[in-house]
Every structure is written in C-alpha cells, then in structure tokens.
C-alpha cells in the first residue's frame, strides 16, 4: 500500500480510510486496557500521528512493546476521530512492521530537551527533533517564496560560477581551489607555479555571484542568483558561516531607490509567505524560541522601513546615551551593536542605511556627487543586524577606473568588468541577501549554525 504522509493524514477529511504511514517513533505509552499509544513523526509536519496498537496484533508482545524513540516503522490501519485531546485523528493499527530498531541504550536522542550545542555534534540525527524539523521546513518554504517572488516579477534565475578565476572578488577572505600536490608544490623562480595547476592559474571559491550577475543584468535586464558562497573570514560569531547561501538580484535601468524598493518588497513578501504557509512551525518558534517572533514579522510586513543616510545614522549614534564597545565616528564601519541599537532602540523596526563613506565600501559602488560617499544601502533588522548589503553600481567607465586604481587594484584584472561600462553601459543596482541570516530573523534561532543543515565554521566541518 502506498505511503501517505502524515501532513496529509492530519488534514484528511476522509475518515475511515485505510492507509499506510511510515515514520520514526517519538514515544510509546502502554495502557492497562491492553493497547499502546505510539506517536510517530515522518518530517512532513511538526505534529505527530497517534497510532493505537491493540494487544491482539500478532507481534504486539515481541515487537510493539519493544518500540522505542527513534525506531522506524510502517503502520497500516484505519483513520478515526480521536477521543484524546491534542489531535483530531488517530490511526487504529491493523498491521505494524518494524523497519529499523534504535537501541535506547545508545540512541542519543531521547524524549527530553537537548541543548543546541549538543545537537550540533549529532547533525546526522538532529533533523529528527521538533526544532530542526521546523527549521528545515521553513527553510524550504522560504526558498520557494524567494524563487516565486522573483519569477513573478520577470527576473531570470542565473547560475553564476562557484569556482572563480577572477581576481576582483575580494582577495583575503577566499578559499583557494587547487589540485596541486601540497607536499610537493611545483615552483618557478621561487614562487608557486600555478601554470601547473588545474586551471593554469590560481582559483578560488566565490564570495559572491554579483560581478557575473552584473554581466547578465546588462544583457537580460532583471536577473538573480541564489546559491552558495564561501568566505574564509575567521569570525566565530553567531551570524557568520564559512559557507552560506545568498540571494543576489541585479537590475539594469535601476537606481538606489529602485533597489531599496525591491529589497523591502521582497522581505515583506517572504515574511508574509512564511506566516501564511508555515503556521504550525511558526507557532512552535513563537512558543519555544522567541515569544515575539510572529508579532515582529507581522509588524515588519505591515509597517514601513526606516530609511536614512549613514551620516544621519552616525549623528544619532554619537548622541546616544548608550555606551558602545566600539566608538562611532564618521568614516568607521558600523558594528552589529550599532546596527541593533538603531533597529531595536531608536526606530523599533528594520532600517535601511544609505550613502556610506566611499573608503569603507568596495570599488564598484557608484560615487555620489560629493565624491566622499557611495550609493550603498544596508538593510538592518532587530537582533540579527545586517541582512542585506547592496548598492547602485558605478556605471561610468572613467570613475570606475579611478576607484579601482584608488584602492590599489590592478585594472587589468577587471578588463571585462570595465568593458561593460564601455559598451552600452546603463545605470544598474543590486543587493546580496544572506539566506541564513534571513532564516534566523524569521525563526528567532539565535545561532546561524542552527539554521543550515551542516554548518561550516572555522575549525569545524564535520558531516
Ligand atoms: P558582515 O559585515 O555582517 O560580516 P558583510 O558586509 O561582509 O557582512 P556582504 O558582503 O554585504 O556582507 O554580504 C551580503 C550579505 O550576506 C550580508 O548582508 C549578510 O546577510 C550575508 N553574509 C555576509 N557574510 C556572511 C557570513 N560569513 N555568513 C553568513 N551570512 C553572511
Ligand atoms: Mn555588507
């Protein structure tokens, strides 16, 4: 008999139907009346399905009474309205088959609360917990929401490369890709001879799909990428991963204002989508992870974001009574404590900060008339801080060339990027939205290691 998912069973109108379900046992409770209650979960939904197994089953004594948390089973029976509270339906079991045992003396997941730190050490089993199941379902729903949002607006999904030979991405923080034998590296004139390497030159894992997305934007109009990016930054924080996913729209014929409008619209769309489509999982997060999460998301969907310039932001921060660990003055990069202060204490909503000093932003951002600031925009949210970094891109060839030289970079490495400004250049803009930071904001999960299935951080790459 075909397997029916529990998500479908629990919303079934067709009681009395005979069905087969498969899943992992969460609990078993034996009643004096000669039957057992078994709760199983199959990952399709947060709720468990309750099975009623009668002692007249041929394998009741030998197998049913031995079932423990973590065993996988198949159960066939008829659905009926439940007498107990907490569920609408239950399955009266006619046949039960054990597919895989889980010895309780060694199975690490027991029916009690485990710390997230402990669960990270058993990332192969943690999706069987309520929290990690809910994170996985919400992450899935958010991926779909993101694609739907952009596709409905005519954006093309572009697959930008993971391995990059371009030197323009942002040196220092990159992972090098090589097939050279590290115990016997070929040398030429005392230097590593990359001509002998796989690609004949040094290559890295990409830190962003932006530069190649710009190429497609300047041919196709509106495009986006949604893929993994890699940063070898040694920051052991609750908001940094060495491998994370990023959504990067890039739009031709678009300026900073259009860019901000798209960022705000996309965030609201994703939040509204999750509130509507992940109701049970969101209630779970609201109950066990962050009691204000639903209210916060509803607020973000219905209210305007606060929009101000970096210069105005610095003025507010330098007049603040609060003592910051890092001092603020015009020209310094904002730390997460400053970003959070603006969102949580001053405006109590997401904040879009624009027009940052040129010298703390990358070379490709469009320079303002003042010559000191660039058309940058960061979107900051309560608790998480920065979730989006974006800008209008410099579209003037000579200004871009000056910025490249001014930052001590070699224009030859940027020849194709510069050519886009020589042949049919157009105003264009885009941003990068960190997917895991977005999931943190939506679920209230405080550590970024807990919103990606298998986190990669400095010194840690298990699983
Ligand atoms: P931060 O200053 O917070 O480290 P950034 O300014 O280096 O971030 P950008 O280069 O602007 O980040 O990247 C765009 C977005 O990607 C960020 O707004 C953030 O949401 C996300 N992001 C950046 N670095 C990481 C990381 N190491 N792990 C997870 N997400 C990240
Ligand atoms: Mn940034």
């Amino acid at each position: 008999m075909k397997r029916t998912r529990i998500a479908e069973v629990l919303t079934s109108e067709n009681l009395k139907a005979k069905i087969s379900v498969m899943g992992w046992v969460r609990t078993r409770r034996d009643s004096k009346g000669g039957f057992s209650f078994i709760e199983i979960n199959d990952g399709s939904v947060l709720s468990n399905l309750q099975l009623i197994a009668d002692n007249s089953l041929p394998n009741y004594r030998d197998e049913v009474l031995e079932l423990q948390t973590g065993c996988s089973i198949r159960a066939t029976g008829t659905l009926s309205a439940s007498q107990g509270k907490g569920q609408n339906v239950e399955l009266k079991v006619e046949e039960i088959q054990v597919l895989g045992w889980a010895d309780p003396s060694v199975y690490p997941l027991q029916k009690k609360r485990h710390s997230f730190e402990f669960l990270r050490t058993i990332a192969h089993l943690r999706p069987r917990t309520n929290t990690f199941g809910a994170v996985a379902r919400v992450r899935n729903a958010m991926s779909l929401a993101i694609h739907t949002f952009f596709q409905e607006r005519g954006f093309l999904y572009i697959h930008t490369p993971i391995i990059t030979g371009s030197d323009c991405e942002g040196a220092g923080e990159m992972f090098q890709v090589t097939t050279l034998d590290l115990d016997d590296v070929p040398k030429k004139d005392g230097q590593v001879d990359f001509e002998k390497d796989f690609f004949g030159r040094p290559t890295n894992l990409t830190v962003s799909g932006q530069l190649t997305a710009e190429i497609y934007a300047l041919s196709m109009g509106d495009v986006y990428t949604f893929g993994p990016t890699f940063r070898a930054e040694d920051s052991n924080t609750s908001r940094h991963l060495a491998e994370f996913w990023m959504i990067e729209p890039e739009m031709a014929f678009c300026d900073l204002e259009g860019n901000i409008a798209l960022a705000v619209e996309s965030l609201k769309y994703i939040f509204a989508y999750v509130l509507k489509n992940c109701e049970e999982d969101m209630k779970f997060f609201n109950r066990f992870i962050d009691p204000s999460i639903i209210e916060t998301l509803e607020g973000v969907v219905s209210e305007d974001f606060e929009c101000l310039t970096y210069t105005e932001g610095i003025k507010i921060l330098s007049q603040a009574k609060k003592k910051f660990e890092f001092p603020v003055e015009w020209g310094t990069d904002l730390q997460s404590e400053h970003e959070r202060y603006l969102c949580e204490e001053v405006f109590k909503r997401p904040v879009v900060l624009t027009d940052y000093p040129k010298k703390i932003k990358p070379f490709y951002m469009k320079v303002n008339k003042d010559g000191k600031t660039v058309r940058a925009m960061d979107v900051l949210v309560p608790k998480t801080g920065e979730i989006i970094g974006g800008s209008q891109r410099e579209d003037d060839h000579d200004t871009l060339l000056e910025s490249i030289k001014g930052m001590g970079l070699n224009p030859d490495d940027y020849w194709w990027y510069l050519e886009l400004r020589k042949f049919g250049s157009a105003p264009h803009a885009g941003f990068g939205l960190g997917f895991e930071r977005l999931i943190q904001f939506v679920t209230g999960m405080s550590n970024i290691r807990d919103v990606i299935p298998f986190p990669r951080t400095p010194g840690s790459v298990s699983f």
Side-chain angles (χ1 to χ4, degrees), residues 4 14 52 61 85 101 112 123 182 201 218 224 276 322 367 397 399 402 407-408 433 446:
T4 307
N14 183 15
I52 313 281
R61 194 163 299 275
K85 49 179 199 294
W101 293 101
K112 61 163 192 164
L182 295 184
R201 56 184 289 184
L218 290 170
Y224 70 107
K276 178 158 178 265
K322 191 180 168 98
V367 183
H397 178 274
T399 313
E402 241 168 75
M407 297 204 182
L433 165 59
S446 59

Side-chain angles (χ1 to χ4, degrees), residues 231 233 239-241 244 246 386-389 432-434 437 448:
R231 296 196 185 175
E233 52 193 350
R239 6 176 266 142
H240 288 93
L241 290 166
F244 65 98
M246 193 149 53
E386 179 189 330
I387 55 168
I388 287 183
L433 165 59
R437 293 219 188 141
I448 198 165

Side-chain angles (χ1 to χ4, degrees), residues 17-301:
K18 183 162 174 169
I19 54 164
S20 216
V21 294
M22 299 186 199
W24 292 267
V25 172
R26 287 289 178 85
T27 59
R28 193 199 81 239
R29 201 156 50 80
D30 306 317
S31 149
K32 288 197 189 75
F35 53 91
S36 298
F37 297 103
I38 303 161
E39 299 227 357
I40 66 165
N41 189 283
D42 68 358
S44 61
V45 38
L46 183 79
S47 293
N48 301 327
L49 175 66
Q50 177 160 284
L51 313 179
I52 313 281
D54 196 81
N55 66 4
S56 62
L57 290 170
N59 58 346
Y60 185 77
R61 194 163 299 275
D62 291 347
E63 296 197 318
V64 174
L65 288 182
E66 296 296 321
L67 286 175
Q68 304 281 358
T69 307
C71 295
S72 77
I73 60 170
R74 168 203 182 98
T76 307
T78 44
L79 215 51
S80 62
S82 174
Q83 315 297 318
K85 49 179 199 294
Q87 70 263 331
N88 296 327
V89 292
E90 58 194 19
L91 191 77
K92 292 231 180 328
V93 173
E94 288 157 25
E95 192 192 332
I96 196 161
Q97 187 189 351
V98 182
L99 302 172
W101 293 101
D103 179 351
S105 68
V106 283
Y107 184 61
L109 277 181
Q110 292 305 326
K111 204 187 149 53
K112 61 163 192 164
R113 278 238 207 165
H114 297 286
S115 74
F116 292 151
E117 287 76 14
F118 169 70
L119 290 173
R120 267 171 234 147
T121 68
I122 50 165
H124 59 310
L125 296 170
R126 69 176 183 170
R128 292 188 190 175
T129 63
N130 284 337
T131 306
F132 289 88
V135 168
R137 283 184 298 272
V138 168
R139 189 178 167 114
N140 170 69
M142 288 169 67
S143 308
L144 178 61
I146 286 158
H147 282 296
T148 309
F149 174 84
F150 287 112
Q151 295 291 330
E152 277 176 352
R153 283 157 189 77
F155 282 65
L156 292 191
Y157 178 30
I158 306 294
H159 301 99
T160 49
I162 306 284
I163 298 176
T164 169
S166 121
D167 294 315
C168 29
E169 286 191 0
E173 297 180 348
M174 301 181 84
F175 287 100
Q176 191 162 348
V177 176
T178 180
T179 53
L180 291 177
D181 178 358
L182 295 184
D183 288 324
D184 184 19
V185 179
K187 294 267 177 81
K188 195 170 155 187
D189 308 327
Q191 306 258 334
V192 177
D193 183 7
F194 283 106
E195 280 179 22
K196 300 241 162 58
D197 203 350
F198 189 89
F199 295 104
R201 56 184 289 184
T203 48
N204 295 292
L205 294 179
T206 187
V207 296
S208 152
Q210 178 199 322
L211 299 187
T212 40
E214 279 186 54
I215 296 178
Y216 269 76
L218 290 170
S219 301
M220 318 294 293
D222 296 331
V223 303
Y224 70 107
T225 72
F226 183 1
T229 53
F230 308 85
R231 296 196 185 175
E233 52 193 350
D234 198 12
S235 30
N236 245 313
T237 75
S238 59
R239 6 176 266 142
H240 288 93
L241 290 166
E243 176 180 296
F244 65 98
W245 288 65
M246 193 149 53
I247 298 103
E248 295 177 276
E250 195 66 40
M251 295 158 285
F253 317 113
C254 180
D255 60 10
L256 189 70
E257 284 66 35
N259 206 20
I260 294 171
L262 185 83
V264 172
E265 193 188 348
S266 60
L267 291 175
K268 289 186 177 209
Y269 180 96
I270 296 162
F271 300 153
Y273 184 94
V274 172
L275 287 169
K276 178 158 178 265
N277 293 281
C278 305
E279 213 184 329
E280 189 187 24
D281 288 323
M282 287 310 300
K283 280 188 182 149
F284 171 84
F285 290 122
N286 205 69
R287 179 150 174 229
F288 292 105
I289 304 296
D290 175 351
S292 62
I293 199 74
I294 290 181
E295 196 190 334
T296 303
L297 291 178
E298 285 170 348
V300 173
V301 170

